[in-house]
Amino acid sequence: MLVATGVLVVAGALLYDVVAVRAGQPARRWRAQIADELARRHLDDPAVLVGAGAAALLGGWLLWLAIAPGLRRWLVLRPYGGTTAAVDRAGIGHLLTDRAAGLDGIDHLRIRVGRRRVRISLAGVAEPALVERQLRDELERVGLGRPMRLDVRTARGARGAAEVVEEEPGGGPDPGPGTAGREGAAG
């Protein structure tokens, strides 16, 4: 945000000066000095090479920040005593899976933990409202900084095992059972 604001200010000042020159006004002194300085220096000048290297490093760093995963896998907990902590989304999924394993009537359970909601698909004779209430209590016990939405859905038929899937931020289509992950592990 700070970099974008800085680029916007510099680009706006440069655009203003270009428009002023096209309208018949003389170029600003800072722009004329930069143009003269760039016209006098050669490409093998150490100042030009250092500036180009710094610009390349800054661009590489900004590119890395753009594609790095960041903190998407983590959910922030409520601050306690001036400290902040986070828990992995897969850890929340395993916690909810363990809690649901103690409930009767669940043949198959799939938990997908996103950044803002938890999707639970279950098959069996268990009452969805009871499962939702139990898992909501477990989520509240964790103490997340932002409450998560809990969606419990029932499915017909049983597959037999519990799965935990870490959901990508964009949501996306549901991968097939062969690509979702292995039993008790996050994808």
Side-chain angles (χ1 to χ4, degrees):
M1 180 79 132
L2 187 64
V3 173
T5 303
V7 167
L8 186 65
V9 167
V10 169
L14 189 58
L15 180 63
Y16 175 79
D17 193 44
V18 168
V19 169
V21 168
R22 294 286 182 189
Q25 300 292 325
R28 300 277 182 229
R29 191 172 69 197
W30 59 269
R31 186 168 156 229
Q33 286 176 344
I34 290 174
D36 290 340
E37 193 68 31
L38 289 174
R40 273 188 264 137
R41 294 193 185 263
H42 296 284
L43 291 179
D44 60 352
D45 190 347
V48 172
L49 293 175
V50 168
L57 286 176
L58 179 65
W61 180 63
L62 290 174
L63 184 64
W64 170 253
L65 288 178
I67 62 174
L71 300 176
R72 286 182 283 192
R73 290 184 46 205
W74 299 94
L75 297 172
V76 178
L77 300 175
R78 280 189 293 246
Y80 180 75
T83 61
T84 55
V87 63
D88 190 38
R89 289 187 336 202
I92 295 291
H94 290 299
L95 180 72
L96 294 175
T97 301
D98 289 344
R99 178 69 175 119
L103 300 175
D104 291 330
I106 297 178
D107 295 332
H108 172 73
L109 178 74
R110 180 180 178 150
I111 297 179
R112 294 174 45 180
V113 181
R115 293 191 313 173
R116 292 186 178 89
R117 81 173 151 190
V118 178
R119 291 181 183 170
I120 300 165
S121 300
L122 61 97
V125 294
E127 181 65 35
L130 174 68
V131 173
E132 181 176 356
R133 191 170 34 252
Q134 295 289 329
L135 296 181
R136 188 173 306 284
D137 290 343
E138 191 70 20
L139 266 180
E140 288 175 9
R141 196 174 67 89
V142 171
L144 294 172
R146 179 176 23 186
M148 296 187 75
R149 201 167 87 205
L150 190 65
D151 294 336
V152 177
R153 298 177 184 171
T154 58
R156 299 194 188 276
R159 288 191 237 167
E163 287 183 48
V164 175
V165 176
E166 188 174 317
E167 187 177 285
E168 286 303 314
D174 183 27
T179 60
R182 49 193 187 279
E183 182 179 330

